[in-house]
Amino acid sequence: MASEQAAQVLVASNRGPVSFTLRDDGELTAKRGGGGLVSGLSAIGPDTDAVWVCAALGDGDREAVRRTGGRLDTADTGGQRVRMLGIAPDVFADAYNGVANSTLWFVHHLLYQTPLEPSFGPEFRAQWASYETYNRAFAEALADEAGEGAAVLVQDYHLALVPGMLRALRPDLRIGHFSHTPWAPVDYFRMLPDDIARQLLRGILGADRAAFLTQRWANAFTACCTELLGGTGNTRIGVHGLGADADFLRERAHRPDVDERLAALREQIGGGPGTDAGADRGADRKVIVRVDRTELSKNIVRGLHAYRQLLTDRPEWRERVVHIAFAYPSRQDLKIYRDYTAEVQRVADEINAEFGTPDWLPVILHVQDDFARSLAAYRLADVALVNPIRDGMNLVAKEIPVISERGCALVLSREAGAYEEMGEDALVVNPYDITATAAALHEGLNMPAEERAERSKRLAATATALPPQQWFLDQLTALRA
């Protein structure tokens, strides 16, 4: 049964467009989010009745749900109608950390140390029951909010069961599911218990259309469906390669806070504050940039080892290059992520201890999230290092060429989704091969300025071909077709 304010376009995702903080005085403060989905939903225009269904992620969100019933004031949400779900904290923890982030993420990114993990016993089955409960809460809320024949765009691996559950409740709806991660190859996907593997596939196949960031991930999903279910049934498969928002990035990258951080980074690199980009960086000092969360799949530790190999094999780069490595903590409630973050810090410290001089810090590592500082680093990049073990797309690979002021060489893992679009103009590496990655860094640093600028121009054009608003509208149009 649809609500009285039935929506014609609905988005469902674990994280919504707003989060709340509960102050000591009992007041709630709202913080609006960003990203492709937020930009995308704004593209449909004010005349379309739309609603975003999301989960309460913290104590502030849960208090907002308690006070409002979950239907949030549009003054707090940037004008968007939001239905926030107050899912029980223990259910949410099991679904989000136990299944989504510690199982499905690991499967799709090929992260398991298979001699030891995974092991699917009673504890996992209890977590799976919570994942089902969590998905059912979304399906019921969407069924309640959706108008007759509405279009529903369900996002990502957190909500893989929602399309099938929603189809049973509201067969009149147009349902799409979009996967922002890679999709595992058949043999790896089949590590999941057989019944759960089939349930996940059937859940997504409840959608009219299942879409992915690249054709490779779409083909992997289709192969899993063929192997386990005999095919994809009536579900159409689509590909939408999310791109960077060039206008936003170029404007945001030249605000005063970015300029301030740019001056500070230049001073750390070796040039004086206030110098032009690329000027007087010590003895022709060049900059390798990476910006990532300390997510296991991002391969930060091997990237640091490759940089150390570069300094070992090519001593001529000592004191002539700096590696800016921004590694922002991710999922620190999970021990394996805390350990990984500590290892990133340890390896960076080792490199600085081994090679550093009073006038040269080989690695500038920051672990505190700072978007303005990231944009400043983008502007300085001579070489961008993007070497994930596996990644659905990787927008950093698309953003740096848009902003780099002198043009940059892109060292890109063939396992990043961005490789499908950008591989021709990048220096492509096997993310496990430290020696080859070091060689690619050397090639990028040595690339003639004219070639680097030309490649960077082509990379930027490719990277911005499908900006977030168009990416969203293309999915909506395809779903309604």
Side-chain angles (χ1 to χ4, degrees):
M1 178 67 70
S3 71
E4 293 180 2
Q5 289 184 293
Q8 288 304 306
V9 177
L10 300 95
V11 169
S13 64
N14 177 69
R15 183 179 299 276
V18 64
S19 61
F20 291 88
T21 302
L22 183 62
R23 298 192 328 212
D24 291 340
D25 62 4
E27 288 295 311
L28 283 171
T29 57
K31 180 181 178 182
R32 297 185 192 118
L37 276 178
V38 174
S39 299
L41 192 58
S42 68
I44 63 176
D47 297 331
T48 302
D49 192 3
V51 67
W52 191 319
V53 178
C54 61
L57 301 186
D59 292 339
D61 288 356
R62 293 188 187 95
E63 180 62 18
V65 170
R66 190 188 69 77
R67 295 181 187 183
T68 65
R71 289 186 170 88
L72 305 181
D73 189 331
T74 55
D76 293 327
T77 62
Q80 294 170 333
R81 281 177 54 205
V82 174
R83 171 84 177 270
M84 185 175 281
L85 306 180
I87 296 166
D90 57 336
V91 171
F92 179 84
D94 276 356
Y96 183 71
N97 283 330
V99 175
N101 288 343
S102 294
T103 303
L104 300 184
W105 181 273
F106 274 59
V107 168
H108 290 315
H109 291 84
L110 316 186
L111 293 178
Y112 281 121
Q113 298 181 64
T114 52
L116 299 173
E117 55 185 12
S119 296
F120 298 117
E123 181 182 3
F124 175 76
R125 290 288 174 170
Q127 292 171 335
W128 183 256
S130 292
Y131 183 79
E132 292 174 315
T133 300
Y134 163 87
N135 275 253
R136 192 173 297 109
F138 272 86
E140 290 172 353
L142 289 164
D144 183 49
E145 297 286 343
E148 186 70 23
V152 182
L153 293 168
V154 180
Q155 305 297 313
D156 227 357
Y157 61 103
H158 312 90
L159 303 177
L161 304 182
V162 167
M165 291 175 170
L166 183 57
R167 175 69 63 209
L169 295 170
R170 293 288 303 275
D172 61 294
L173 300 178
R174 299 281 186 94
I175 304 170
H177 185 277
F178 193 91
S179 293
H180 293 261
T181 65
W183 194 272
V186 173
D187 288 349
Y188 211 89
F189 185 75
R190 295 207 69 169
M191 283 197 291
L192 290 167
D194 290 351
D195 59 320
I196 285 173
R198 291 187 174 93
Q199 189 179 353
L200 281 165
L201 296 174
R202 289 192 184 103
I204 292 176
L205 293 178
D208 297 282
R209 194 167 184 274
F212 300 84
L213 286 164
T214 73
Q215 191 62 52
R216 180 183 180 187
W217 313 141
N219 291 347
F221 173 77
T222 300
C224 287
C225 291
T226 301
E227 176 78 13
L228 277 76
L229 302 177
T232 56
N234 295 321
T235 301
R236 292 174 288 142
I237 307 299
V239 174
H240 302 276
L242 174 63
D245 187 339
D247 292 341
F248 165 74
L249 287 170
R250 288 174 178 142
E251 185 277 327
R252 181 67 184 87
H254 289 85
R255 291 184 194 173
D257 60 339
V258 178
D259 289 336
E260 289 171 10
R261 287 158 177 79
L262 188 69
L265 284 174
R266 284 195 184 117
E267 196 162 10
Q268 282 186 286
I269 288 163
T275 57
D276 292 335
D280 189 28
R281 292 196 193 125
D284 190 28
R285 197 163 280 171
K286 293 192 174 182
V287 181
I288 300 168
V289 171
R290 79 171 306 134
V291 176
D292 283 305
R293 293 174 295 111
T294 51
E295 159 55 51
L296 308 181
S297 63
K298 299 298 184 182
N299 209 24
I300 301 168
V301 171
R302 286 194 189 90
L304 288 168
H305 285 314
Y307 179 62
R308 174 157 52 190
Q309 196 66 43
L310 170 75
L311 299 179
T312 300
D313 294 345
R314 303 282 184 172
E316 66 268 27
W317 285 115
R318 296 176 193 177
E319 300 199 68
R320 292 184 53 224
V321 65
V322 170
H323 184 16
I324 295 177
F326 293 165
Y328 301 139
S330 173
R331 300 175 184 168
Q332 294 299 290
D333 48 346
L334 299 175
K335 182 179 183 299
I336 191 170
Y337 282 84
R338 295 195 300 273
D339 291 346
Y340 188 74
T341 302
E343 180 66 5
V344 169
Q345 182 73 62
R346 187 190 68 79
V347 175
D349 289 345
E350 275 190 356
I351 294 170
N352 285 335
E354 182 177 356
F355 295 101
T357 69
D359 300 318
W360 174 54
L361 189 68
V363 180
I364 297 173
L365 176 69
H366 283 288
V367 296
Q368 185 175 357
D369 198 349
D370 185 332
F371 184 53
R373 188 171 57 209
S374 297
L375 294 175
Y378 287 2
R379 286 173 60 181
L380 287 171
D382 294 301
V383 177
L385 175 57
V386 181
N387 67 320
I389 292 169
R390 198 168 168 86
D391 217 333
M393 177 56 69
N394 196 296
L395 283 179
V396 171
K398 293 189 168 186
E399 291 169 352
I400 296 182
V402 173
I403 296 177
S404 175
E405 293 186 344
R406 299 197 306 173
C408 69
L410 174 61
V411 176
L412 180 64
S413 166
R414 67 191 186 199
E415 300 302 317
Y419 163 72
E420 194 165 292
E421 302 168 61
M422 305 175 77
E424 187 173 339
D425 288 303
L427 303 173
V428 179
V429 296
N430 171 349
Y432 300 97
D433 191 338
I434 290 168
T435 302
T437 302
L441 292 173
H442 175 68
E443 183 179 352
L445 291 168
N446 268 334
M447 189 177 289
E450 185 176 340
E451 179 186 353
R452 191 177 66 222
E454 190 58 37
R455 284 196 192 216
S456 195
K457 182 179 178 182
R458 293 195 299 266
L459 287 167
T462 301
T464 56
L466 194 63
Q469 291 190 347
Q470 192 59 49
W471 168 82
F472 183 88
L473 289 175
D474 283 2
Q475 291 178 67
L476 195 57
T477 300
L479 181 59
R480 288 169 163 168

